[in-house]
Amino acid sequence: MKARSPKRRNTFVPTRFLFLSALLTLADPARALDYTREIKPLLKAQCIKCHGTILQKGGLRLDTAAAARRGGDRGAAIIPGRGDDSLLVQAIQGAHAEIPQMPYKRGPLDAAQMALLKQWIDEGAQAPADEQPSDDRHWAYGVPARPPVPKLRRQPGNPIDAFIQDRLIREGLQPSPPAAAETQMRRVWLDLTGLPPKGEETAALAAGSNGGAAPLARPRQCRVEQESRRWLHGGLGGAHREFDFDGAAEHAGQRSTDGPAALG
């Protein structure tokens, strides 16, 4: 008698069922968007430059959801639950009759970003109640504040060194040894004049016959003035010859004898 082969199970139906279930899961509209993670970074990247702390074009701020609901000169930017009727959605889609497509003079948002903002508004434009405006100001617009000087076991003479040593201690690093006097002199001259010191000036400092540390704090006035005028003399051409560096001499009815004309 011929043995029967085992009956194969039909796995097509379960596989098709799992595939359809996965599609339904991906298309589930019940997943609410996370404002802090998905919406606020998008607004910050695309809108805050013109609608933030520094600038509020049209009287509109978009750095908080509450500010967007208050709106600007044209009213509320978002209407919770009504994405299509919200001014923000109409502006980014270019669907408003009087407002050009936003962001203005920049590339428009892609379709996914537009859909994300519309979905967030349709879901009620939920956001944290204690949301704080983002500070998008450049550091130069802040009010300068003098930080307290760190307290160290061995306090250096210069407060700047205290900050450096404090950071080195926290990082577990050892400070470099002080630079030689010749190196310090070269750095100061390069910072103040853009030129290195002359050989005899460096040698005089090394020999200790040039006033101690004076060249470190203040390079000789004559050298600074001479080199500065020489650079100006070559850059401005003949027109500078009538310019008097010595304003006091001009007002006194005298001509300066050390101006650019004397160098020419």
Side-chain angles (χ1 to χ4, degrees), residues 135-223:
D135 190 356
D136 58 315
R137 297 176 301 170
H138 188 274
W139 63 266
Y141 293 99
V143 178
R146 186 181 296 276
V149 178
K151 300 297 182 182
L152 304 175
R153 181 175 301 177
R154 297 183 60 182
Q155 202 71 13
N158 192 315
I160 297 178
D161 291 334
F163 287 98
I164 296 175
Q165 291 186 20
D166 178 65
R167 180 62 181 270
L168 291 176
I169 293 173
R170 288 188 281 114
E171 298 292 339
L173 301 174
Q174 294 295 326
S176 300
E182 296 87 344
T183 303
Q184 295 185 41
M185 182 180 182
R186 180 180 176 85
R187 291 172 180 172
V188 172
W189 275 86
L190 287 172
D191 285 343
L192 296 182
T193 69
L195 299 169
K198 293 183 177 179
E200 60 269 19
E201 292 164 339
T202 304
L205 176 64
S209 60
N210 199 19
L216 295 178
R218 185 184 59 200
R220 287 183 225 166
Q221 190 70 20
C222 62
R223 172 82 187 280

Side-chain angles (χ1 to χ4, degrees), residues 77 83-84 86-95 114 117-118 121:
D84 288 329
S86 295
L87 189 64
L88 177 61
V89 173
Q90 295 174 1
I92 63 175
Q93 291 178 344
M114 294 182 187
L117 288 173
K118 182 179 181 300
I121 298 174

Side-chain angles (χ1 to χ4, degrees), residues 21-61:
S21 299
L23 288 179
L24 291 175
T25 301
L26 292 175
D28 185 7
R31 187 187 72 86
L33 293 175
D34 186 331
Y35 170 80
T36 303
R37 185 172 59 87
E38 299 176 89
I39 302 301
K40 190 175 181 70
L42 176 58
L43 293 173
K44 184 176 181 179
Q46 301 291 343
C47 309
I48 300 304
K49 184 177 181 180
C50 297
H51 303 283
T53 303
I54 299 297
L55 188 62
Q56 302 91 38
K57 290 187 176 180
L60 175 63
R61 293 185 64 161

Side-chain angles (χ1 to χ4, degrees), residues 63 106 119 127 210 232:
D63 51 352
R106 296 171 58 188
Q119 179 183 347
N210 199 19
L232 186 61

Side-chain angles (χ1 to χ4, degrees), residues 216-254:
L216 295 178
R218 185 184 59 200
R220 287 183 225 166
Q221 190 70 20
C222 62
R223 172 82 187 280
V224 175
E225 292 181 357
Q226 180 185 15
E227 298 295 347
S228 300
R229 288 168 182 162
R230 190 178 302 279
W231 280 97
L232 186 61
H233 175 78
L236 295 181
H240 73 280
R241 294 182 178 274
E242 297 301 323
F243 184 81
D244 192 353
F245 282 81
D246 220 345
E250 181 180 5
H251 290 298
Q254 304 173 0

